[in-house]
Amino acid sequence: MYDLRWIRDNPEAFDAGLTARGLAPLAGEILSRDETARANRTALQELQNSSNTTSKMIGAAKSKGEDAADLIAKVSQMKGELKDREEAERELSQALRETLSGLPNRPQDDVPVGPDEDSNIEVRRHGEPTAFDFEPREHYDIGEALGLMDFEAASKVSGARFVVLRGALARMERALAAFMLDIHADEFGYEETSVPLLVREHTAFGTGNLPKFEEDLFKTTDGFYLIPTAEMVLTNLVRDGVLGEDELPLRYVAHTPCFRSEAGAAGRDTRGILRQHQFYKVEMVSISHPDQSGEELDRMTACAESILQRLEIPYRVMLLSSGDMGFSARRTYDLEAWMPGQNNYREISSCSNCGDFQARRMGARFKPSQGKGTSFVHTLNGSGLAVGRTMIAVMENYQLADGGFAIPEALQPYLGGRTRIG
């Protein structure tokens, strides 16, 4: 969400940000509408003052026994005008709010400008793509052959883009989540948090999922939305509040099922568990001081990388372009794990700094230890990691010629010391 005062002071920067996002410049239109709204607001205030003054004159005239009929008629006329002005105020303010709430965050100045993922920049790479002396298979071929990944059973009860995991794979999914949570909570200082899976409209609005991306969400018949990620809840924990500066940063981590309609993913990744309607994810959220959010993003990204490093999964870090970033982000790093079965790197984590964009939508502030007033916090979120995609990376990178796959050493204690599945 944008601050109108900032747009008034920085119209060129505002339009440059929209252009980087592939949108047409809007500063002129928005400021013109803002000027109309402010002019109407001024006229409304003047009319209210005049009405109050005239009402007092009526009381004075009556106390003196004078005829106040003209004054009464004038106040009656003003009431009609006030009603029209108030209605105009509501309509102008609502229209301007709807326009601003539908605009994505402005990218940081050093974010590469481009329309899509082809403009992303590789920042660093860890490990080399896994080599095999046999033709590597994709995760769903491995899982189905082992009888542990059942898409047919899931299709019978829920349809496409669902899976039933059995036996060792079901346990491995649970083990991966526990492994991630322990590291983030015990070593990196994120507070483990259990959150609701259903939220109201204002919560989804706060993180930028509404109103623009409603088709991507599952909605119940009584107005709840199923969360697409725990970010939606964790970020809103500070909504409508004022924190002390000494409380920052706040760091949360949660493991939840996530629900996405994948409305824009028709025909993409239809096989396997890479893109599903329901999946599990460990999510990190930080509430930061504005001066420290850049460092916090680097820290969060390093925390996510640590999971891949301990699992010894090759990966690369990508700085996303302006056209590939999420709606609320101003800067995003994607971690892409090497998937031998696809012979490609695929996203397994996305870490973003949203600046004060979400905080303005939520009314989340902090009070500086020095000086007066309050300021908006900065919010950050990152996958630490997507559990299903991490399972894919393990299955494909650790696959064996006999059809099974080995268990990374760091994960073995979470699987009772087991060293392989197959």
Side-chain angles (χ1 to χ4, degrees):
M1 198 74 167
Y2 289 92
D3 180 5
L4 273 170
R5 289 174 296 181
W6 183 86
I7 298 176
R8 292 185 208 121
D9 295 337
N10 304 276
E12 296 85 3
F14 174 73
D15 278 344
L18 294 183
T19 301
R21 286 287 202 165
L23 301 175
L26 281 175
E29 176 188 335
I30 287 174
L31 293 179
S32 175
R33 291 163 61 184
D34 176 46
E35 186 176 345
T36 300
R38 287 194 292 158
N40 180 75
R41 198 171 300 121
T42 299
L44 175 59
Q45 291 171 347
E46 291 175 350
L47 192 58
Q48 287 172 331
N49 292 337
S50 180
S51 177
N52 291 337
T53 300
T54 306
S55 295
K56 291 179 181 178
M57 292 171 62
I58 292 173
K62 287 183 175 180
S63 67
K64 296 177 182 178
E66 298 174 355
D67 184 8
D70 290 344
L71 294 173
I72 293 172
K74 185 176 181 180
V75 168
S76 179
Q77 179 183 350
M78 287 181 180
K79 285 183 179 179
E81 294 177 8
L82 277 170
K83 184 177 180 181
D84 292 340
R85 287 286 184 185
E86 288 169 349
E87 181 62 28
E89 165 73 9
R90 284 191 292 271
E91 292 178 356
L92 290 167
S93 296
Q94 179 64 22
L96 197 53
R97 179 177 173 80
E98 288 179 358
T99 296
L100 291 174
S101 67
L103 297 177
N105 200 356
R106 187 175 74 91
Q108 283 187 331
D109 293 338
D110 60 344
V111 165
V113 176
D116 51 37
E117 62 186 19
D118 292 335
S119 300
N120 297 345
I121 295 176
E122 183 174 324
V123 177
R124 57 184 171 273
R125 187 174 293 203
H126 184 90
E128 294 297 325
T130 310
F132 298 92
D133 57 5
F134 58 91
E135 186 67 25
R137 295 179 297 170
E138 295 209 43
H139 69 281
Y140 47 80
D141 289 327
I142 299 171
E144 286 185 309
L146 293 173
L148 303 178
M149 192 172 281
D150 195 336
F151 296 99
E152 183 178 352
S155 178
K156 290 179 180 179
V157 295
S158 300
R161 294 192 186 274
F162 291 94
V163 69
V164 172
L165 299 180
R166 302 181 186 277
L169 269 190
R171 183 176 179 181
M172 182 176 165
E173 181 180 53
R174 173 165 55 91
L176 280 168
F179 170 69
M180 296 173 191
L181 284 171
D182 285 349
I183 292 172
H184 292 311
D186 296 342
E187 296 188 28
F188 299 143
Y190 288 87
E191 181 182 8
E192 185 172 350
T193 313
S194 179
V195 301
L197 306 181
L198 296 168
V199 298
R200 290 295 189 185
E201 180 179 348
H202 65 270
T203 306
F205 177 86
T207 48
N209 298 84
L210 291 179
K212 193 172 180 64
F213 302 101
E214 184 164 16
E215 67 172 5
D216 295 327
L217 304 176
F218 286 111
K219 186 178 183 180
T220 68
T221 55
D222 53 354
F224 285 101
Y225 291 90
L226 277 72
I227 61 169
T229 166
E231 171 208 346
M232 187 179 283
V233 181
L234 295 174
T235 308
N236 273 276
L237 293 179
V238 296
R239 71 174 297 115
D240 297 327
V242 179
L243 298 166
E245 183 174 357
D246 59 354
E247 296 180 74
L248 301 175
L250 297 174
R251 297 184 178 118
Y252 303 113
V253 65
H255 166 234
T256 66
C258 304
F259 306 91
R260 298 183 185 178
S261 70
E262 297 292 350
R268 296 176 58 193
D269 302 312
T270 53
R271 293 201 65 185
I273 64 172
L274 192 75
R275 194 180 302 276
Q276 298 215 298
H277 291 311
Q278 175 187 313
F279 57 96
Y280 288 92
K281 187 150 70 84
V282 172
E283 184 76 1
M284 301 174 288
V285 161
S286 293
I287 311 299
S288 168
H289 189 287
D291 295 342
Q292 298 165 356
S293 64
E295 295 177 4
E296 188 69 18
L297 176 61
D298 291 340
R299 181 188 190 277
M300 177 179 283
T301 305
C303 292
E305 287 184 72
S306 178
I307 303 297
L308 289 172
Q309 291 169 9
R310 296 176 196 220
L311 294 174
E312 299 183 72
I313 302 294
Y315 69 91
R316 65 183 183 181
V317 181
M318 305 294 290
L319 174 61
L320 298 197
S321 71
S322 56
D324 199 31
M325 288 195 306
F327 179 83
S328 297
R330 61 185 298 199
R331 186 181 187 86
T332 298
Y333 292 110
D334 268 10
L335 307 188
E336 297 181 348
W338 177 250
M339 306 292 191
Q342 300 181 47
N343 194 38
N344 201 2
Y345 287 96
R346 298 302 300 266
E347 178 201 335
I348 200 166
S349 171
S350 190
C351 299
S352 299
N353 183 358
C354 299
D356 64 3
F357 186 81
Q358 293 176 325
R360 290 183 179 277
R361 299 169 79 99
M362 299 185 302
R365 298 174 177 267
F366 75 99
K367 183 175 178 56
S369 55
Q370 302 293 328
K372 299 180 180 179
T374 60
S375 300
F376 288 104
V377 299
H378 279 195
T379 62
L380 303 93
N381 62 81
S383 313
L385 306 161
V387 176
R389 293 191 176 201
T390 307
M391 180 183 292
I392 294 173
V394 169
M395 293 174 69
E396 294 194 8
N397 282 280
Y398 283 85
Q399 61 183 291
L400 304 169
D402 64 4
F405 61 92
I407 305 297
E409 185 177 351
L411 193 61
Q412 291 174 13
Y414 291 84
L415 286 164
R418 190 167 187 166
T419 60
R420 56 169 288 164
I421 292 175

